[in-house]
Amino acid sequence: MPPETFLLSPYDHADMIAAFEALKNRLQTILPASADIQHIGATSIPGCLTKADLDLCVRVAPEHFAACDAALATHFPRNTGSVRTESFSAFHAQNAGIQLVVTGSSLDVFTRFRDLLCNNPSLLHEYNHLKQRYNGKPMTEYRKAKDAFIESALSSV
């Protein structure tokens, strides 16, 4: 089987917002009211190129993490290709990824990175250029370059 390929796709921003709201509403029935459910990833950033998948970040207090992790696991399959720690876990939903993270932990970077791209057109342009360079290439190569870009962007602020 050939390796998974990174492919940019057109998308309708309004459709992604509607999909986010629908999944957020579902998550609100599963998680405590204190869970901070955020639209993250490229579809949350106007003008960002994407493979047209939805990403959400659920930020919770440390004392709620284990219960939220267990609750999500009863409704969504785990993303076994992602790291899992005492403060982070990831799940799959239909054409969406859900990242559960303890607020303030080392992996609580998703909303910071989103906000950086939303507020820095030059950085967004660089990120889009990276995505264009890896379009059609193996996903593992893209993810490695993307991870390095995110780390560099976050360390520069």
Side-chain angles (χ1 to χ4, degrees):
M1 173 180 250
E4 184 183 7
T5 303
F6 174 71
L7 293 173
L8 293 170
S9 299
Y11 72 103
D12 183 288
H13 191 70
D15 288 347
M16 287 298 182
I17 298 298
F20 163 71
E21 289 298 333
L23 187 50
K24 179 181 178 180
N25 290 339
R26 181 173 177 207
L27 291 173
Q28 287 174 325
T29 67
I30 299 166
L31 300 169
S34 62
D36 178 23
I37 304 168
Q38 297 277 326
H39 185 185
I40 59 165
T43 60
S44 71
I45 304 163
C48 192
L49 298 176
T50 177
K51 54 186 170 64
D53 61 335
L54 181 65
D55 288 294
L56 287 84
C57 180
V58 178
R59 301 172 75 225
V60 298
E63 62 271 17
H64 296 294
F65 182 80
C68 290
D69 183 67
L72 289 171
T74 65
H75 295 274
F76 304 99
R78 290 190 182 277
N79 179 348
T80 56
S82 181
V83 65
R84 184 172 173 213
T85 70
E86 292 180 356
S87 61
F88 178 83
S89 59
F91 301 87
H92 292 290
Q94 185 176 5
N95 198 32
I98 301 168
Q99 322 307 317
L100 174 66
V101 65
V102 169
T103 303
S105 67
S106 63
L107 292 176
D108 184 16
V109 298
F110 300 99
T111 56
R112 281 183 43 225
F113 184 63
R114 177 205 58 206
D115 294 347
L116 270 175
L117 291 177
C118 285
N119 295 310
N120 186 330
S122 176
L123 189 64
L124 176 59
H125 177 76
E126 288 179 48
Y127 192 48
N128 280 340
H129 184 68
L130 177 145
K131 288 176 174 249
Q132 289 169 327
R133 280 196 325 266
Y134 286 89
N135 191 34
K137 295 188 177 172
M139 185 66 81
T140 53
E141 291 179 23
Y142 164 69
R143 285 187 177 134
K144 184 177 180 181
K146 176 181 142 182
D147 289 349
F149 182 90
I150 292 170
E151 187 176 319
S152 174
L154 290 172
S155 69
S156 69
V157 290

